[in-house]
C-alpha cells in the first residue's frame, strides 16, 4: 500500500515525498483512511512508529477545508510535554508546506501575551500542554466550542504526569459532536476508561506490542559499584563507534553534576532537565541536533518521543525506577531502521529494577564485560592505551576547539570547577520534585520564532 492509496490530497502527497517517505508505516496505513472518514480512533503505538504523521497528515487535509475564527481554534492536539508539543508543531510545518494552515502553540514557559495574540487572529490547529490550556481557558482567553477535532497524544504519559483530570475537563469544554483520536503506547485501565467516556465507536488499532523494545538496539547491562559509575561511563563513552549519545539519570541533580564532571573530563556534553527554562532546553537540544555537542545528559523529560536522528548510544547512568521508562529511554537510539546500542549501569541496589525491566520486555539483557577485569573495575593502569589514543572523538574535538579559540576566550574560561557533589549513594523511590516529570509550566521568556507561525507563509 502506498501513500497515494490512503486518500490524501495531491498537495499532501507531494509534501510526504518531499519529506523522503516512500511508504506509509503500519500505524499510518491503518489510521489515515479512517481519520479521513471522520471516525474516532484509539491507536496503541509507541513513538518511533510514525504515529505523529498518522494524525498530522489527515488533519492537514481535513482542516484544508473551512475557515478560522478569532479565539476559536478548529482543532486541538494535547501533548504531555513542551518538547513533544514543539515537535508536533515541526511536523505540521513539514507536512503542511503546501497548505495555508495557521497554528499556535500553548505551552508553559512561553509568555502568555504572545500566545493569546496568536489565538486572537484565529488558528486551525492549537497544540497545547494541558496545564497551560486550562490556565488560558480559565482566564477566558480561549473558546473551545469551535474545536471539533481533538487529539490526545501519549495518553499514558499524560496519566503518569497527573494530567488526566485536566484532560477530562478539557473534553467537556469541546463540542459533543467531534472527532477524537487517542494515541498511547500502552492502554492502562484509566486510559481505557477515558476512551470509553469520551470517544464514540472508535476504530481500534495496535501496531506494536506495548513495552516491546526495538530489535535494532543492542542492549547491555554493566554491573558496577556506586563509586565506579562515572569512571565506567567515561570508558564506555570512549567507544570508537560512539557518534552521539544520550545519558539518562534519574534525578535532576545527577544530570547537572554528571554533565559538569563530563565537561571537566573534556567531553563535549550538555544537559536537559525540567528545571531549565524553555529557551535553554530548546537551545540545548538544538546544539545537540547540530553537533555542537555530541553527548546530552538528560532526565526522563527527554525520554519519550524526542526524535533526534543518529543517536548511536543511550546510557542509563541510573537504572530507571519504572520499567516503562527503560523502553522509552533506549528508544532514543535505533530510530528509523538505524542500529543503536543501549548500556545500563547497574549497581547491586538496582537488581530489582533490572528484573522488572526484563519481565516487562520479556528479554534477558546481556551482561557487558568491561574487558577481562571484573566488570566494575578500572583496567589496570599499565594496560590502558596511551592517553592520546584513549581520547574520544568528542574530547579530541573539544580540545582542538579550545586550542584554536582566541586567547581572551581561553582566559575567560574558568580555570577550575568546584568538586562534583557525591552521587546519591543508594537508589530510593523518587520524590515527585526530584523526578523530572511534573507538569512543567511557568517561565516568561520570549517566544522562539519557530513556535508561532502560519504555515506556508
Ligand atoms: P514518530 O513515531 O511520530 O515519533 O515518528 C518517528 C520517525 O519516523 C520520525 O522521524 C518521522 O519523521 C519518521 N517517519 C514517519 N513516517 C514515516 C514514513 N512513512 N517513512 C519513513 N519515516 C517516517
Amino acid at each position: 500500500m502506498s501513500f497515494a492509496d490512503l486518500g490524501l490530497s495531491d498537495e499532501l502527497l507531494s509534501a510526504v515525498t518531499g519529506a523522503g517517505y516512500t511508504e506509509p508505516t503500519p500505524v499510518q496505513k491503518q489510521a489515515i483512511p479512517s481519520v479521513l472518514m471522520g471516525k474516532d480512533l484509539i491507536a496503541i503505538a509507541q513513538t518511533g512508529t510514525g504515529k505523529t504523521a498518522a494524525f498530522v497528515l489527515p488533519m492537514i487535509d481535513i482542516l484544508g477545508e473551512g475557515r478560522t475564527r478569532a479565539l476559536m481554534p478548529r482543532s486541538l492536539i494535547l501533548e504531555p510535554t513542551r518538547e513533544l508539543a514543539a515537535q508536533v508543531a515541526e511536523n505540521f510545518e513539514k507536512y503542511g508546506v503546501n497548505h495555508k494552515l495557521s497554528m499556535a502553540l500553548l505551552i508553559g514557559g512561553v509568555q502568555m501575551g504572545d500566545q493569546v495574540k496568536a489565538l486572537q487572529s484565529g488558528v486551525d490547529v492549537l497544540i497545547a500542554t494541558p496545564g497551560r490550556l486550562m490556565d488560558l481557558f480559565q482566564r477566558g482567553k480561549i473558546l473551545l466550542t469551535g474545536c471539533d477535532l481533538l487529539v490526545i497524544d501519549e495518553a499514558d504519559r499524560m496519566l503518569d504526569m497527573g494530567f488526566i483530570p485536566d484532560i477530562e475537563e478539557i473534553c467537556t469544554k469541546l463540542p459533543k459532536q467531534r472527532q477524537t483520536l487517542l494515541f498511547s503506547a500502552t492502554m492502562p485501565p484509566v486510559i481505557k476508561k477515558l476512551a470509553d467516556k469520551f470517544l464514540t465507536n472508535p476504530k481500534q488499532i495496535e501496531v506494536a506490542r506495548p513495552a516491546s523494545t526495538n530489535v535494532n538496539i543492542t542492549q547491555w547491562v554493566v554491573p558496577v559499584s556506586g563509586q565506579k559509575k562515572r569512571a565506567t561511563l567515561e570508558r564506555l563513552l570512549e567507544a570508537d563507534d560512539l557518534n552521539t549519545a544520550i545519558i539518562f539519570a534519574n534525578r535532576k541533580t545527577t544530570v547537572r553534576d554528571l554533565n559538569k564532571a563530563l565537561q571537566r573530563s573534556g567531553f563535549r556534553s550538555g544537559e536537559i532537565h525540567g528545571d531549565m527554562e524553555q529557551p535553554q532546553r530548546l537551545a540545548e537540544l538544538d546544539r545537540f541536533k547540530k553537533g555542537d555537542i555530541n553527548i546530552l545528559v538528560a532526565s526522563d523529560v527527554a525520554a519519550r518521543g524526542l526524535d533526534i536522528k543518529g543517536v548511536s548510544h543511550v546510557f542509563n547512568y541510573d537504572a530507571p525506577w519504572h520499567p516503562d521508562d527503560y523502553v522509552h529511554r533506549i528508544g532514543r537510539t535505533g530510530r528509523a531502521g538505524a542500529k543503536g546500542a543501549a548500556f545500563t549501569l547497574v549497581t547491586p541496589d538496582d537488581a530489582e529494577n533490572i528484573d522488572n525491566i526484563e519481565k516487562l520486555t520479556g528479554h534477558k539483557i546481556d551482561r557487558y564485560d568491561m574487558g577481562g577485569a571484573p566488570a566494575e573495575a578500572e583496567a589496570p593502569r599499565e594496560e590502558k592505551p596511551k592517553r592520546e589514543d584513549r581520547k574520544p572523538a568528542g574530547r579530541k574535538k573539544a580540545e582542538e576547539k579550545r586550542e584554536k579559540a582566541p586567547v581572551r576566550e581561553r582566559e575567560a574560561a574558568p580555570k577550575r570547577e568546584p568538586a562534583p557533589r557525591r552521587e546519591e549513594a543508594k537508589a530510593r523511590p523518587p520524590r515527585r520534585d526530584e523526578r523530572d516529570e511534573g507538569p512543567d509550566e511557568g517561565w516568561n521568556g520570549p517566544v522562539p520564532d519557530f513556535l508561532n507561525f502560519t504555515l506556508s507563509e
Side-chain angles (χ1 to χ4, degrees):
M1 187 188 275
S2 72
F3 274 106
D5 300 323
L6 299 178
L8 297 167
S9 68
D10 290 345
E11 291 85 353
L12 211 43
L13 291 177
S14 126
V16 165
T17 308
Y21 306 158
T22 49
E23 203 197 330
T25 65
V27 66
Q28 293 162 2
K29 283 180 195 164
Q30 294 181 63
I32 291 173
S34 44
V35 177
L36 284 174
M37 280 159 59
K39 277 185 160 300
D40 281 7
L41 176 81
I42 298 176
I44 303 176
Q46 287 175 260
T47 58
T49 55
K51 69 165 171 77
T52 314
F55 61 86
V56 171
L57 291 174
M59 277 180 81
I60 291 174
D61 265 350
I62 291 169
L63 296 166
E65 318 273 313
R67 294 185 44 224
T68 58
R69 279 191 286 169
L71 296 180
M72 293 174 79
R74 298 175 58 210
S75 66
L76 170 65
I77 300 172
L78 293 172
E79 292 291 335
T81 65
R82 304 165 184 178
E83 280 77 11
L84 283 170
Q87 205 163 277
V88 171
E90 285 173 13
N91 273 257
F92 261 99
E93 200 185 22
K94 179 163 70 177
Y95 306 133
V97 284
N98 301 321
H99 287 73
K100 278 197 187 290
L101 295 180
S102 55
M103 162 169 68
L105 258 177
L106 273 191
I107 52 179
V110 176
Q111 270 179 356
M112 246 192 228
D114 294 315
Q115 300 183 342
V116 171
K117 237 185 267 164
L119 284 170
Q120 272 165 350
S121 45
V123 293
D124 295 298
V125 189
L126 178 62
I127 305 166
T129 49
R132 176 53 66 98
L133 179 68
M134 286 304 293
D135 198 357
L136 270 184
F137 188 85
Q138 276 149 10
R139 289 165 195 237
K141 303 282 187 199
I142 185 167
L143 286 171
L144 295 174
T145 44
C147 185
D148 48 22
L149 206 174
L150 169 68
V151 180
I152 304 167
D153 193 20
E154 303 262 341
D156 53 349
R157 176 72 161 153
M158 300 273 199
L159 172 66
D160 287 350
M161 295 176 69
F163 281 143
I164 297 300
D166 284 344
I167 291 178
E168 292 201 300
E169 196 171 342
I170 291 165
C171 283
T172 63
K173 315 276 182 222
L174 267 70
K176 276 213 166 60
Q177 285 286 341
R178 62 158 194 270
Q179 184 177 14
T180 307
L181 318 176
L182 184 142
F183 288 78
S184 194
T186 57
M187 193 51 61
V190 179
I191 301 298
K192 176 86 184 59
K193 229 168 105 190
L194 181 83
D196 289 344
K197 192 164 167 195
F198 292 107
L199 275 70
T200 312
N201 195 18
K203 176 178 165 112
Q204 215 161 329
I205 60 178
E206 179 168 357
V207 293
R209 192 165 65 83
S212 60
T213 49
N214 181 337
V215 290
N216 285 330
I217 306 169
T218 310
Q219 300 172 54
W220 300 102
V221 296
V222 186
V224 66
S225 69
Q227 298 93 310
K228 290 273 165 62
K229 271 173 110 174
R230 218 180 67 219
T232 304
L233 174 72
E234 291 198 9
R235 284 183 58 199
L236 290 167
L237 285 172
E238 295 180 358
D240 287 340
D241 60 343
L242 189 140
N243 176 21
T244 53
I246 303 182
I247 303 168
F248 286 102
N250 288 353
R251 293 185 177 86
K252 292 177 260 192
T253 49
T254 314
V255 170
R256 279 190 289 261
D257 292 346
L258 182 60
N259 180 34
K260 275 197 203 117
L262 291 177
Q263 287 176 347
R264 257 199 309 276
S265 297
F267 290 98
R268 292 186 301 129
S269 65
E271 66 187 51
I272 182 165
H273 54 76
D275 275 354
M276 289 161 69
E277 293 184 341
Q278 181 68 356
Q280 269 181 298
R281 278 157 68 165
L282 290 170
E284 202 69 346
L285 273 180
D286 211 41
R287 287 206 311 142
F288 187 60
K289 284 182 186 169
K290 282 202 204 121
D292 296 345
I293 51 174
N294 73 330
I295 295 169
L296 189 64
V297 189
S299 64
D300 279 298
V301 81
R304 298 207 189 197
L306 279 193
D307 184 28
I308 298 167
K309 288 216 163 53
V311 175
S312 63
H313 288 62
V314 165
F315 296 93
N316 290 312
Y317 185 70
D318 298 315
W321 284 301
H322 297 295
D324 273 358
D325 287 337
Y326 177 81
V327 178
H328 289 291
R329 286 180 181 187
I330 74 165
R332 299 315 98 210
T333 182
R335 295 182 77 75
K339 295 263 178 238
F343 291 83
T344 302
L345 303 190
V346 175
T347 66
D349 290 331
D350 296 321
E352 195 182 330
N353 296 338
I354 295 297
D355 273 358
N356 290 337
I357 290 166
E358 290 179 339
K359 264 188 218 136
L360 180 86
T361 57
H363 167 81
K364 178 108 182 115
I365 309 171
D366 289 331
R367 270 53 186 164
Y368 188 76
D369 180 353
M370 289 293 290
E376 64 179 67
E378 286 262 35
R381 284 231 165 265
E382 57 279 16
E383 283 177 21
K384 275 188 183 173
K386 276 194 229 119
R387 186 146 189 84
E388 249 333 278
D389 300 339
R390 284 194 296 118
K391 280 179 193 162
R395 196 186 291 200
K396 276 186 205 150
K397 276 188 208 137
E399 283 177 10
E400 279 163 20
K401 216 169 167 180
R402 235 191 339 263
E403 276 152 21
K404 281 189 205 139
V407 175
R408 202 144 45 92
E409 196 181 308
R410 266 186 273 153
E411 285 174 353
K415 293 222 163 45
R416 245 188 117 112
E417 296 273 356
R421 266 191 266 160
R422 277 227 316 264
E423 289 299 341
E424 288 93 343
K426 187 161 158 55
R428 60 175 168 78
R431 290 200 316 264
R432 180 98 184 157
D433 59 334
E434 287 177 330
R435 293 196 60 183
D436 199 4
E437 59 176 25
D440 46 18
E441 309 284 338
W443 54 270
N444 279 316
V447 192
D449 280 349
F450 80 95
L451 297 189
N452 246 323
F453 45 81
T454 302
L455 300 178
S456 307
E457 279 192 4

